[in-house]
Amino acid sequence: MKFGKRLKQHVEETLPGWRDMYLNYKDLKKLVRLISSSLEYGKSEEAEFVYLLNNEIEKFNVFFMEQEEDFIIRHKELQQRIKRVNESESSSQGEYEEEMARIRKDIVDFHGEMVLLVNYSNINYTGMAKILKKYDKRTGGVLRLPFIQKVLEQPFFTTELVSKLVKECETTIDELFPTVVVMEVEMKEAATMMAGEGIFRNTVAALMTMKEIRKGSSTQSHFSLPVLSLPDTELIRSFQLNSPIPIV
Amino acid sequence: MQSKKKQAGAAVGFFFSDLSSVLFNNNDLLFASIQSRYISSVKSELFRFSVAKSLLLSSEEKSELLSAFSFQIVVVRITCVAFDFLCITLMNTVLRKHLFIVVELSGMSSTNGTVGHIVSASSGMSSNLHISSEETCSEKAPFISQTSEVLRSTAFRDFLKENNTSSWCTDSLSDFLEYPENSPIQSSNLQIMPCEDVGKPNDWQDWADQLITEDDGVTPNWNEILVDTAVADQIPKMECHAGKSSRTSLTLQVNSLVPASPGETCSPVTPSPGGSQSKPRMRWTPELHEAFVEAVSKLGGSERATPKGVLKLMKVDGLTIYHVKSHLQKYRTARYKPEPSSQGPSEKKPTPLQELSSLDLKTSSEITEALRLQVEVQKRLHEQLEIQKNLQMRIEEQGRYLQMIFEKQCKFGIDSFQPASSAPEKSETELTNEISSSPARTKTESDPVKVGSPSSDNQKVELDPSESQPSKRAKLNESSSTESS
C-alpha cells in the first residue's frame, strides 16, 4: 500500500487533536506533479515548494514542542502523585489501591502518548524524505540532500528528550506494577478489552502502520529502510479486532 | 580546444546540479556499486556501524540488509575490481575520497555527453593518485600531500574562469549553491567523518565563494546567492531575540535553525521561523521545568504565583514573560486535572477504573495485566521508532558524506583533462584502472587539457560488462605513458 494512503489511514486513526498536525503529503505530491508537468521549471517553483515545506516543518515544530512541554509537566506531576500516594499514611488501603490503579492507568497512557509523539515525528520525517525524493526525481532537482539535512536538525525530529522521558516512564512503570502471574487467557481477554480503547488502540495502530509502511516497496533502494518484522505481529494484529477502521 | 573547454565548464555546472539526481536516482546501480564497494572496505566505519546496527535488528531484518548489499554487488557490472581492491588496501581516507569522486565522476558520463569530458579529465587527475595494490599507506603519504595541495589550488577556479558558462550552467550552479550554508555548518555534526585533512567546510565555503566572485558574466544570479548566504550568516546572531515575522525569509530562517541550536548561549530558545515578533518558540527541558516549579513553590503555589514573579526568580536568559505565562497555564491545568483521560485522547471508553472499585481482585489484576501488555506494545513501538530513526539518520549521513567528498574531488578533478581512449564504454574502467596503474606524477596545471571523445555511448557505461581487465589496463598504460612523456 502506498505511503500516502497509509498516512491518511494513520491520520484518521490518530488522536483527534493531532489530525491536523501531520504532513500534507497529498497536497505536496500534487504540487510536485504540477511542477514536473509544467514545461518550464524554474527557481520560483522550487521556492514555492520549499516555502510550503518550511511551513510544514514549522507546523511540526510548534506542535511537537508544545506536546513536549506538556509531557515534561505531566511527567513531573505523575512523579509527584506517586510520591504523595506513597507518603500519605492517612489513606486507607482501598483508597491507596484506587489511587495507584489510577496512577498506573495514567502513566501507561502517558507513556503511550509520548511514544505516539515520537511516532508522529517519525512519520512526518518519512513523509518529508519521500516527498523530497519525489521532487528530485520528477524535476531533476537537487533539493533533497541539503534539505533533509536541515530537517534532521529540526526540533520535531530531535526526539531525544521525549525518548528519555519514555525510558524514565518505563522505569517507573516497572516499579509500580506488582509482579503478578496471570493466566494467558485472562490476559488476552483483558488486553482485548482494553485494546479497543484510548491510547492503546493508537499505539497498536501506529505499530501496524509502521510495519506496513516499511513493507518492501517497488522503489526499494539503498536509501530504503529494511522491512520491519515484529515477533508478535499476530498478537498485535489481534488487538485491532475492535478497531472500526481495520488496518489491513 | 576552447569550445571543448567551454563544454566541460558547462558540464561542470550541469554536473553539480544533477549530481544528486544522477547518482541517487537515475544511477542507482552506480551508486549502489560505489556504496557496496565502500562498504566492503572493512575499515569503513559506516559498514561497522551498519553491522552494529543490524545487530539490533532481528535476524530477519539483518539478512535483509545484508542481502540488499550483496545483491547490489552482484548486479553492478562496473569493472570496479581495481577499485574494490583499492578500497580494501586503502587506509588513507583522503585517497579513498578521491577514488569515490573519481568513480562517481565517471558515473556522470552515462547521463550527459559533455560530462564525458569531465570523465577523461578526472582520469587524468586521478592518475597521480597512483595506487596499486601492493602499496601501503605510508607510501601514499607523499601523494596525499600533493593531492591535498591540488585540492586547495586555484586550478579549478581558473579553469572555470576560462570557460564562461552558459546560462543553464549558472542556474544549476545557483540552485546548487542555494544551500551552501548548511553543509559547512552541519558537517560538524557528522560523526562518521573520516580525517579531514583536505579541509573541512571551509574549503567548500571558499570554493563556493570563489565561484561566486570569479565569473562576471553571471553575476546577477550569484549576487542573489551572496545575499542569501550573507543574510543566513547574520541570522544566527539574532536568534536569541524575537523571532522573525517575515515569511519571505523563511528559507533562511530555517537555515538559521541549524547553526542556532547547537551551542548557543540561550540554549533553551529555538528561533521560530515565521513566528510572531513577541513569541519566539521556547523549548522546555526538565531542568528548566524544575527551576520553574521551584520558583512557583517559592511564590506560594501555582495559583498564587504570577508570571512576572516566576520570571524574576528563575533568572534564565532568553526566557520571556510569555513563555512563563503559557507554561504556568499548562502547569495549572495539569495539576488540577491530573491525567485527564477525558481530555485529549478521549474516544469511547468506559473507564475500567469505575469497574475496578466494585469488582474483585481478579479483575483488577486482569486490568493490571492488560496495562502491562499495553506497555509492552508501546515499548516495542518505541524501540522500533528509535531504530528507524537511527537508520534514517545514517542513511542521510552517508549520502551527505559521499556528496561532500564528491564535491571535493570535483574541485580537484576538473583541473585537467585526459585524453580518453577510443572506446567510450571503457571510460569508467579507464578511470579506475588508471588509478591503479598510472605512474605517479605530480598534478600540475600545465597538463594539457585534452578533452576526449567519449560521450555519446556512455549511457551504457555502468552496464557494460567489462572486457578483460588486463587488456584494458594495457591500453590505459599506453595512453597514460604517452601522456606523461
Side-chain angles (χ1 to χ4, degrees):
Chain A
M1 220 182 187
K2 291 191 138 186
F3 177 80
K5 256 189 162 177
R6 283 261 153 245
L7 177 65
K8 186 160 162 235
Q9 256 181 2
H10 177 82
V11 168
E12 282 167 11
E13 282 275 299
T14 196
L15 307 171
W18 295 28
R19 291 210 183 110
D20 295 328
M21 296 298 166
Y22 280 87
L23 181 68
N24 279 326
Y25 188 74
K26 201 167 171 190
D27 292 337
L28 285 168
K29 212 164 81 162
K30 280 187 190 158
L31 181 61
V32 170
R33 216 174 286 149
L34 201 66
I35 291 180
S36 66
S37 62
S38 72
L39 285 172
E40 36 168 288
Y41 151 67
K43 277 194 76 174
S44 64
E45 278 87 359
E46 174 158 314
E48 185 187 338
F49 187 67
V50 167
Y51 174 79
L52 286 178
L53 285 181
N54 285 333
N55 279 1
E56 295 293 294
I57 290 179
E58 170 71 358
K59 182 173 76 176
F60 303 153
N61 284 339
V62 168
F63 178 69
F64 186 86
M65 290 197 280
E66 288 258 2
Q67 290 294 317
E68 197 182 46
E69 192 178 340
D70 273 330
F71 289 156
I72 292 174
I73 296 176
R74 276 158 75 184
H75 182 76
K76 188 99 187 30
E77 277 316 296
L78 275 167
Q79 286 176 339
Q80 296 278 49
R81 266 172 83 186
I82 293 168
K83 216 163 103 184
R84 274 200 304 264
V85 152
N86 283 331
E87 282 172 1
S88 76
E89 290 152 0
S90 55
S91 61
S92 68
Q93 185 64 18
E95 276 171 20
Y96 175 83
E97 283 299 324
E98 235 182 79
E99 180 62 14
M100 279 309 277
R102 265 197 289 267
I103 289 178
R104 273 191 223 118
K105 164 109 176 89
D106 287 342
I107 204 171
V108 169
D109 276 350
F110 176 60
H111 178 266
E113 240 184 285
M114 287 198 286
V115 174
L116 282 172
L117 188 68
V118 179
N119 184 55
Y120 162 88
S121 156
N122 202 282
I123 283 199
N124 285 323
Y125 173 82
T126 307
M128 280 239 129
K130 278 183 179 291
I131 200 78
L132 282 168
K133 184 176 170 190
K134 264 196 217 298
Y135 179 86
D136 276 358
K137 196 168 176 183
R138 295 291 204 104
T139 64
V142 277
L143 187 56
R144 200 192 73 88
L145 201 62
F147 200 89
I148 207 77
Q149 302 299 325
K150 223 165 40 180
V151 175
L152 288 172
E153 301 278 329
Q154 296 299 309
F156 86 90
F157 190 69
T158 52
T159 55
E160 286 83 23
L161 179 58
V162 179
S163 287
K164 194 176 95 173
L165 288 177
V166 168
K167 300 224 168 75
E168 281 177 26
C169 212
E170 282 167 13
T171 326
T172 317
I173 286 174
D174 286 336
E175 291 164 11
L176 281 190
F177 275 65
T179 46
V180 176
V181 178
V182 176
M183 277 169 55
E184 271 286 318
V185 175
E186 280 172 22
M187 187 171 87
K188 259 205 121 171
E189 275 173 18
T192 323
M193 168 183 85
M194 309 238 350
E197 300 139 18
I199 297 285
F200 193 18
R201 184 163 75 80
N202 293 111
T203 50
V204 167
L207 204 48
M208 296 310 296
T209 302
M210 188 187 199
K211 186 181 165 76
E212 292 299 320
I213 286 177
R214 278 175 56 174
K215 231 200 279 203
S217 78
S218 55
T219 54
Q220 188 118 27
S221 71
H222 40 270
F223 273 122
S224 304
L225 295 168
V227 172
L228 181 65
S229 71
L230 301 167
D232 296 333
T233 308
E234 282 320 304
L235 178 64
I236 293 169
R237 210 185 276 268
S238 71
F239 291 153
Q240 289 191 311
L241 291 174
N242 302 348
S243 169
I245 306 171
I247 293 183
V248 174
Chain B
M1 194 62 63
Q2 204 58 26
S3 61
K4 282 186 177 169
K5 278 192 194 175
K6 263 196 189 169
Q7 276 181 314
V12 168
F14 171 85
F15 159 83
F16 281 132
S17 73
D18 264 325
L19 174 61
S20 283
S21 56
V22 165
L23 284 184
F24 303 136
N25 296 325
N26 306 332
N27 233 354
D28 281 347
L29 281 179
L30 172 61
F31 181 72
S33 89
I34 296 166
Q35 189 187 39
S36 65
R37 292 304 181 270
Y38 180 73
I39 286 171
S40 72
S41 160
V42 190
K43 316 298 175 194
S44 156
E45 275 187 35
L46 270 173
F47 179 64
R48 262 189 256 124
F49 177 86
S50 50
V51 166
K53 265 301 158 193
S54 71
L55 293 175
L56 290 178
L57 307 169
S58 71
S59 56
E60 208 180 312
E61 285 168 302
K62 214 193 308 184
S63 57
E64 183 92 11
L65 254 181
L66 291 175
S67 65
F69 285 137
S70 50
F71 174 72
Q72 288 163 353
I73 292 171
V74 162
V75 162
V76 168
R77 262 148 339 138
I78 296 168
T79 53
C80 287
V81 171
F83 182 63
D84 207 359
F85 200 16
L86 295 166
C87 268
I88 292 167
T89 57
L90 215 45
M91 303 296 290
N92 190 292
T93 53
V94 170
L95 282 171
R96 211 184 305 166
K97 281 184 220 171
H98 294 324
L99 281 176
F100 284 120
I101 297 304
V102 153
V103 176
E104 287 170 356
L105 277 175
S106 58
M108 281 306 301
S109 57
S110 66
T111 52
N112 186 353
T114 49
V115 181
H117 304 316
I118 297 175
V119 169
S120 31
S122 55
S123 66
M125 279 313 307
S126 55
S127 59
N128 69 330
L129 291 178
H130 181 39
I131 297 151
S132 73
S133 51
E134 292 83 34
E135 283 180 335
T136 60
C137 257
S138 48
E139 285 174 75
K140 293 181 187 99
F143 301 131
I144 294 160
S145 48
Q146 285 166 0
T147 55
S148 309
E149 280 161 27
V150 170
L151 257 178
R152 295 188 195 102
S153 80
T154 57
F156 178 39
R157 214 181 343 132
D158 292 343
F159 172 67
L160 270 191
K161 202 197 238 167
E162 291 171 351
N163 304 279
N164 215 320
T165 55
S166 60
S167 58
W168 59 255
C169 165
T170 322
D171 282 341
S172 36
L173 263 174
S174 338
D175 282 344
F176 184 65
L177 291 171
E178 190 102 51
Y179 302 91
E181 286 306 306
N182 290 327
S183 337
I185 295 154
Q186 296 189 27
S187 62
S188 56
N189 295 333
L190 241 196
Q191 295 140 7
I192 306 192
M193 198 60 86
C195 67
E196 292 281 316
D197 59 342
V198 246
K200 287 120 190 114
N202 300 326
D203 268 0
W204 173 198
Q205 184 82 24
D206 289 344
W207 173 74
D209 287 341
Q210 285 164 10
L211 268 182
I212 291 170
T213 52
E214 218 52 49
D215 215 320
D216 294 334
V218 290
T219 313
N221 282 338
W222 285 345
N223 274 340
E224 239 178 275
I225 300 165
L226 258 178
V227 171
D228 280 356
T229 59
V231 178
D233 264 333
Q234 291 165 18
I235 286 183
K237 304 186 185 85
M238 306 199 281
E239 54 86 23
C240 278
H241 307 300
K244 315 243 175 315
S245 50
S246 153
R247 282 256 161 201
T248 54
S249 47
L250 253 183
T251 321
L252 304 170
Q253 285 164 338
V254 178
N255 288 354
S256 77
L257 278 177
V258 172
S261 7
E264 284 296 330
T265 49
C266 30
S267 41
V269 180
T270 311
S272 90
S276 68
Q277 284 283 339
S278 56
K279 286 196 213 161
R281 183 132 302 277
M282 176 75 167
R283 195 162 191 192
W284 284 82
T285 66
E287 295 77 27
L288 207 56
H289 182 67
E290 282 278 348
F292 172 86
V293 170
E294 251 183 65
V296 164
S297 66
K298 272 190 199 158
L299 291 173
S302 57
E303 284 301 304
R304 292 178 65 182
T306 64
K308 198 170 180 187
V310 172
L311 181 65
K312 260 191 179 166
L313 264 180
M314 282 179 74
K315 291 196 274 263
V316 172
D317 279 337
L319 193 62
T320 72
I321 196 161
Y322 298 101
H323 296 141
V324 176
K325 210 169 171 189
S326 72
H327 197 77
L328 188 61
Q329 206 169 23
K330 291 189 187 218
Y331 185 66
R332 283 178 182 150
T333 320
R335 293 211 104 194
Y336 292 98
K337 264 188 182 183
E339 284 310 308
S341 7
S342 49
Q343 273 184 18
S346 70
E347 274 100 19
K348 56 278 169 201
K349 41 105 208 120
T351 321
L353 287 172
Q354 267 105 48
E355 303 164 14
L356 173 63
S357 41
S358 52
L359 295 178
D360 53 48
L361 217 55
K362 191 180 171 206
T363 314
S364 93
S365 70
E366 264 182 19
I367 288 170
T368 311
E369 279 316 302
L371 285 176
R372 213 192 284 267
L373 200 66
Q374 180 176 346
V375 177
E376 284 311 311
V377 171
Q378 285 165 186
K379 270 188 187 171
R380 176 71 52 75
L381 177 58
H382 187 234
E383 223 174 71
Q384 292 300 325
L385 282 168
E386 287 199 297
I387 292 175
Q388 183 158 314
K389 180 178 158 189
N390 273 320
L391 278 178
Q392 285 167 332
M393 283 176 75
R394 294 305 173 187
I395 285 173
E396 294 306 331
E397 263 185 46
Q398 186 179 6
R400 194 176 127 214
Y401 169 66
L402 282 168
Q403 170 92 343
M404 207 150 137
I405 62 181
F406 169 72
E407 287 153 12
K408 290 201 166 151
Q409 178 58 30
C410 236
K411 188 171 138 191
F412 162 74
I414 301 302
D415 282 344
S416 82
F417 286 87
Q418 171 89 359
S421 72
S422 49
E425 298 84 34
K426 288 184 291 197
S427 51
E428 272 189 316
T429 54
E430 269 173 38
L431 229 41
T432 55
N433 288 327
E434 210 147 6
I435 296 162
S436 56
S437 59
S438 303
R441 64 179 175 174
T442 316
K443 183 64 218 79
T444 63
E445 293 153 27
S446 58
D447 269 357
V449 177
K450 293 180 206 159
V451 174
S453 56
S455 42
S456 46
D457 301 341
N458 279 338
Q459 264 72 30
K460 298 209 182 140
V461 163
E462 72 271 19
L463 299 177
D464 179 28
S466 56
E467 303 167 25
S468 66
Q469 284 298 300
S471 64
K472 276 191 197 163
R473 254 180 237 234
K475 255 188 185 164
L476 294 164
N477 276 333
E478 235 177 276
S479 59
S480 52
S481 55
T482 53
E483 244 316 271
S484 51
S485 62

